[in-house]
Amino acid sequence: MAECKGGGDRSPSSSMDSSTHPVLSTTSSGCQPARRDLSTDLHLGLSLSSASSLLAPDTKSIPSKPRNQVPLDWPPIKPFLKRTLTASARRRRTLFVKVYMEGVPIGRKLDLLLLDGYDSLLTKLCHMFKTSITYADVMEYHRRVPHEKAAYVLTYEDQDGDWMMVGDVPWEYVSSLPDKREETEDCKNG
Amino acid sequence: MTYFPEEVVEHIFSFLPSHSDRNTVSLVCKVWFPKLRVLTVKGKPHFADFNLVPPDWGGYAAPWIEAAARGCVGLEELRMKRMVVSDEGLELLARSFPRFKALVLISCEGFSTEGLADIASHCKFLRELDLQENDVEDRGPRWLSCFPDSCTSLVSLNFACIKGEVDSASLERLVAKSPNLRSLRLNRAVSVDTLSKILMHTPNLEDLGTGNLTDEFQTESYLRLTNALEKCKMLKSLSGFWDASPVCVPFIYPLCHQLTGLNLSYTPTLDYSDLTRMISRCVKLQRLWVLDCISDKGLQVVASSCKDLQELRVFPSDFYVAGYSAVTEEGLVAISSGCPKLSSLLYFCHQMTNDALITIAKNCPNFIRFRLCILEPRKPDAMTNQPLDEGFGAIVRECKGLRRLSISGLLTDKVFMYIGKYAKHLEMLSIAFAGDSDDGMMHVLNGCKNLRKLEIRDSPFGDGALLGNVAKYETMRSLWMSSCNVTLKGCEILASKMPMLNVEIMNELDGSSEMEENPGDFSKVEKLYVYRTTAGARGDAPNFVKIL
């Protein structure tokens, strides 16, 4: 899996937003309801912001983002709704996986059970990492979108330790798996 | 006015068509106070809903309840919003008004279920107990058992915001002896079986908030529920659901065709396919509140199924990851083209475009309330990277009846020029992270003739704008500015020019003592709240609030 210099122009430094994400679980295994260890999550957040500024000195600053992170009193939703949704997230089953972008030691986490399919997963990851990502049929993707620069490819490590392209296994099966999985983004030259 | 016979005054008032005009004139004379039957009081500013107002700011209900207890014992209805209510206050309320019929508390706090126990125990003719999204301390289920056997007058009972358990037997007994019950909203602790039993006693129910629908899936329970629901021929509005399991959704299907209102905004467990299977059957739907899990695809289904839709609210389900949402401008464009009667919108999304807004404005010129929240502050048009001035400009130009507007995304002073020029009926405007200079705010103050409430956060408006049209504030209910560029000096000038306004500033970080040491300082004011007063400065302000 060769390291690639093409792919996303924008660095994952915007993923410092994860430091405003207090409900990430520290466990990435699925079935048991996650007990939230907030201290670890906050620590992750802080390391990320300093590490990413070292890793991405040539970041093109995205004009729409405020200089600071998104404020804690945003978005403007009522406390009752916020409390209800937060409590609900705590109660529900979760399936958190870690996602790493190749070359970046600090990863992101997301709950697969909040997504309804591979399309949603891609959209969310593209948003989190601010880059184009593809999965399953890379050739298909490049045939459909020939002008786009080399994208990152989404892969995962299965129980046997093999690295596999994401997308072949039906989503319903994926979201019912109890075992711990890690996914990494990889780059393929276009 | 005391020299006019009452009959003459009443006759004159009967020519006033609108509630708000009659309200206004009723405030003029103290003589009428003892005859007060219905009192509505609102406390904290709207932005208190978003944690922008520090705790202990005020809005205490006690003085109002005490004054009413002394002066108008005929009080029958009390409605309070964003107030701090205590158990002692509720006890006083329960004991002071022998004809008391209705208590409505919205977004209030400071009381517990023990206060509710007093209301239940002592208000013999209670028709309405409506608790909407309050923060209520749970002190046990006793309160629901406190309704005496003689109380059979309940028409509306909403305890959806109560966190704790309720006693099912008491609840069933209460419902069984309330033949006039039209609206019942349960909390998440009520089981499916209890709900089924209750519904056997409520054939005239029009509005239902379910309990929890996440029991270990037992087919018999859900079948009983369907049977019970089918008896409620008048049922038009449904809410609750909470962490509803998708498998329970089909059991609601028999009701869908008659629903005009559906609130699924507390239900992140249903994905877009569960939601669309339900909503596509709700052909008479007028009001839909839903989470963004519905996605653009789901909104297209809504657009093709719900032709009578008037009000749509789409809330963000995953607000911790900045800017992420499954809905975009496409969902809203689809809704606008499928649902031309749409008049009220609250839409959280992660991106928007000018083209979309222009299309939406043309499709739905009947908007009265248009609130758009793009989750990432200052985000530009997702296609062109331009500000969204033209899009919102189209909204205010086409929607001539617009009364309430919330704007977001990347916006320059130009959008305010459009708002001032076209939004002639606008009464409430909410601004966040928008504008370039004082000109922006000036356009609004000078142009929006009917403006009543203006709330601004994180925008670069300063003293020039604050002081540019001070007479305007006398015609408005309130002005809120936080994290803007107004200074202490500017606020002091405003206060000295306009003695009939209360100019409250809140600087939590500095503390009030520091401000007193340096009067006339050009330090920025963190939070400013300006409102009209006939009684001067209030006496219950905490340390961090300074009233100039």
Side-chain angles (χ1 to χ4, degrees):
Chain A
M1 286 173 287
E3 182 112 31
C4 176
K5 300 235 171 53
D9 330 295
R10 283 171 286 186
S11 86
S13 64
S14 57
S15 51
M16 71 174 76
D17 292 337
S18 66
S19 63
T20 59
H21 193 326
V23 294
L24 284 176
S25 172
T26 53
T27 67
S28 44
S29 57
C31 270
Q32 43 289 40
R35 290 205 335 104
R36 316 266 163 170
D37 179 359
L38 289 180
S39 55
T40 311
D41 297 333
L42 286 172
H43 174 66
L44 263 174
L46 289 169
S47 323
L48 186 59
S49 50
S50 51
S52 62
S53 58
L54 289 173
L55 287 170
D58 56 338
T59 309
K60 209 183 340 177
S61 75
I62 300 153
S64 59
K65 273 221 180 304
R67 202 167 35 83
N68 314 320
Q69 295 162 348
V70 174
L72 291 170
D73 44 28
W74 185 266
I77 64 174
K78 288 192 181 165
F80 185 76
L81 181 59
K82 224 174 208 173
R83 278 197 301 269
T84 305
L85 294 179
T86 308
S88 174
R90 285 204 187 103
R91 260 189 293 267
R92 267 180 294 129
R93 235 196 90 201
T94 58
L95 180 55
F96 275 99
V97 293
K98 299 181 197 174
V99 187
Y100 291 88
M101 179 179 255
E102 176 138 358
V104 180
I106 314 267
R108 299 290 306 262
K109 246 182 187 166
L110 75 164
D111 179 3
L112 290 185
L113 296 189
L114 286 180
L115 306 166
D116 59 20
Y118 286 115
D119 285 342
S120 303
L121 173 61
L122 256 288
T123 308
K124 185 138 188 174
L125 288 176
C126 289
H127 186 85
M128 273 180 162
F129 288 91
K130 294 284 190 285
T131 184
S132 55
I133 305 171
T134 186
Y135 65 100
D137 199 337
V138 174
M139 304 292 281
E140 166 78 45
Y141 180 80
H142 282 296
R143 205 176 36 242
R144 273 190 294 124
V145 195
H147 58 275
E148 193 139 337
K149 280 181 84 171
Y152 280 85
V153 172
L154 194 56
T155 59
Y156 71 96
E157 183 181 29
D158 71 4
Q159 298 118 290
D160 303 325
D162 298 324
W163 285 99
M164 310 291 290
M165 194 96 71
V166 163
D168 293 318
V169 174
W171 181 261
E172 298 71 35
Y173 183 68
V174 159
S175 52
S176 66
L177 278 177
D179 54 312
K180 175 174 172 163
R181 291 160 63 241
E182 285 188 6
E183 309 190 16
T184 68
E185 289 189 5
D186 225 349
C187 186
K188 276 272 177 8
N189 287 312
Chain B
M1 276 292 232
T2 45
Y3 47 82
F4 256 23
E6 265 186 33
E7 303 79 50
V8 177
V9 173
E10 278 178 32
H11 185 67
I12 296 171
F13 286 177
S14 66
F15 291 102
L16 290 171
S18 84
H19 272 312
S20 60
D21 285 344
R22 283 202 293 271
N23 246 0
T24 310
V25 300
S26 73
L27 296 171
V28 171
C29 180
K30 284 188 195 167
V31 168
W32 300 326
F33 185 65
K35 300 219 181 131
L36 201 62
R37 286 192 312 109
V38 178
L39 179 63
T40 303
V41 190
K42 293 185 186 176
K44 302 183 200 177
H46 173 239
F47 273 0
D49 283 347
F50 317 130
N51 290 329
L52 285 172
V53 176
D56 303 328
W57 171 84
Y60 299 110
W64 292 90
I65 299 175
E66 284 157 18
R70 280 192 303 271
C72 51
V73 290
L75 191 70
E76 293 179 13
E77 290 182 29
L78 181 62
R79 291 157 195 276
M80 295 199 287
K81 187 170 184 177
R82 285 188 214 103
M83 305 274 292
V84 179
V85 186
S86 66
D87 286 345
E88 292 74 32
L90 288 175
E91 191 190 349
L92 182 61
L93 176 66
R95 292 185 191 278
S96 306
F97 307 105
R99 294 210 291 272
F100 197 73
K101 293 195 175 70
L103 179 63
V104 179
L105 298 176
I106 305 173
S107 301
C108 295
E109 56 178 349
F111 61 103
S112 79
T113 46
E114 286 302 295
L116 299 178
D118 283 321
I119 297 285
S121 305
H122 302 292
C123 298
K124 297 190 183 58
F125 305 110
L126 198 65
R127 280 206 308 239
E128 191 177 342
L129 179 59
D130 186 1
L131 306 169
Q132 295 179 31
E133 298 186 323
N134 302 290
D135 190 2
V136 186
E137 189 193 338
D138 178 39
R139 295 233 195 112
R142 172 181 96 86
W143 67 278
L144 199 60
S145 320
C146 289
F147 286 95
D149 288 334
S150 54
C151 177
T152 59
S153 44
L154 269 182
V155 173
S156 169
L157 176 63
N158 172 6
F159 62 91
C161 64
I162 299 297
K163 296 164 200 156
E165 298 294 318
V166 292
D167 178 47
S168 330
S170 300
L171 179 58
E172 287 166 41
R173 257 198 316 275
L174 179 61
V175 173
K177 64 177 191 215
S178 303
N180 300 313
L181 206 56
R182 293 281 178 281
S183 169
L184 179 63
R185 296 190 183 184
L186 310 171
N187 74 353
R188 62 193 319 147
V190 176
S191 71
V192 176
D193 286 335
T194 305
L195 176 57
S196 302
K197 287 187 200 153
I198 286 171
L199 289 175
M200 302 307 284
H201 298 290
T202 58
N204 296 322
L205 200 65
E206 293 169 12
D207 168 52
L208 174 67
T210 72
N212 109 59
L213 298 173
T214 59
D215 288 352
E216 284 257 310
F217 179 60
Q218 301 258 4
T219 322
E220 309 93 65
S221 294
Y222 283 102
L223 284 173
R224 274 197 294 273
L225 179 64
T226 308
N227 286 338
L229 284 171
E230 275 170 343
K231 296 198 162 41
C232 302
K233 303 280 185 224
M234 313 284 290
L235 196 51
K236 291 196 163 48
S237 165
L238 206 54
S239 61
F241 290 88
W242 314 109
D243 290 335
S245 159
V247 296
C248 78
V249 165
F251 295 95
I252 310 285
Y253 287 169
L255 259 190
C256 290
H257 70 279
Q258 63 195 62
L259 291 180
T260 58
L262 184 57
N263 181 356
L264 296 163
S265 58
Y266 301 126
T267 317
T269 41
L270 297 180
D271 70 9
Y272 106 95
S273 62
D274 303 314
L275 293 168
T276 48
R277 275 200 298 265
M278 196 190 325
I279 296 172
S280 59
R281 293 170 148 82
C282 300
V283 292
K284 293 206 186 122
L285 209 58
Q286 294 171 15
R287 184 176 46 87
L288 175 64
W289 293 20
V290 76
L291 290 172
D292 60 6
C293 323
I294 194 169
S295 79
D296 286 337
K297 280 187 286 187
L299 290 174
Q300 276 157 19
V301 173
V302 174
S304 58
S305 314
C306 308
K307 294 304 182 187
D308 285 339
L309 198 68
Q310 292 168 23
E311 178 180 331
L312 175 67
R313 296 194 189 189
V314 180
F315 294 97
S317 54
D318 191 6
F319 42 82
Y320 284 115
V321 179
Y324 180 74
S325 164
V327 303
T328 70
E329 76 279 9
E330 288 179 17
L332 191 53
V333 170
I335 291 280
S336 74
S337 84
C339 310
K341 294 187 194 171
L342 196 63
S343 61
S344 178
L345 179 75
L346 173 57
Y347 196 78
F348 287 83
C349 59
H350 80 258
Q351 65 179 52
M352 187 48 59
T353 65
N354 283 308
D355 276 351
L357 285 170
I358 291 167
T359 305
I360 291 160
K362 290 215 170 65
N363 288 341
C364 292
N366 298 318
F367 274 120
I368 294 176
R369 283 178 288 276
F370 189 90
R371 292 192 280 164
L372 181 67
C373 181
I374 301 166
L375 290 167
E376 194 179 310
R378 301 196 192 93
K379 187 160 185 181
D381 181 316
M383 299 290 228
T384 65
N385 254 1
Q386 294 300 301
L388 289 170
D389 302 333
E390 296 307 315
F392 281 104
I395 294 285
V396 292
R397 206 171 34 244
E398 303 291 332
C399 304
K400 304 201 184 341
L402 195 67
R403 293 208 300 258
R404 185 168 178 185
L405 178 65
S406 299
I407 56 181
S408 58
L410 183 66
L411 295 162
T412 72
D413 285 346
K414 200 165 190 204
V415 74
F416 299 111
M417 190 264 293
Y418 289 134
I419 293 173
K421 186 170 176 188
Y422 294 110
K424 290 307 177 190
H425 290 104
L426 195 66
E427 294 175 9
M428 184 167 175
L429 178 62
S430 307
I431 301 168
F433 304 99
D436 306 314
S437 75
D438 287 346
D439 287 347
M441 187 169 157
M442 288 309 305
H443 285 308
V444 173
L445 291 175
N446 292 339
C448 298
K449 297 291 168 219
N450 284 297
L451 194 66
R452 288 166 61 233
K453 292 188 231 181
L454 180 59
E455 47 185 26
I456 307 172
R457 62 168 290 181
D458 295 275
S459 300
F461 307 132
D463 296 341
L466 181 67
L467 300 170
N469 184 354
V470 294
K472 178 73 176 170
Y473 305 131
E474 265 196 289
T475 68
M476 288 169 54
R477 187 175 291 179
S478 64
L479 167 72
W480 169 279
M481 294 179 77
S482 58
S483 305
C484 297
N485 291 343
V486 293
T487 70
L488 181 57
K489 182 80 183 149
C491 296
E492 283 169 347
I493 294 174
L494 176 63
S496 67
K497 282 191 176 184
M498 305 289 288
M500 72 295 293
L501 298 177
N502 270 352
V503 178
E504 290 197 10
I505 57 183
M506 293 167 245
N507 270 11
E508 295 161 87
L509 303 173
D510 295 344
S512 57
S513 53
E514 202 172 307
M515 286 194 287
E516 275 157 20
E517 281 163 26
N518 304 302
D521 197 3
F522 282 92
S523 57
K524 291 238 183 89
V525 162
E526 181 61 33
K527 294 173 186 176
L528 167 68
Y529 188 49
V530 179
Y531 54 93
R532 297 176 296 197
T533 179
T534 54
R538 60 185 175 110
D540 62 353
N543 286 338
F544 56 81
V545 173
K546 189 166 152 70
I547 304 180
L548 302 173

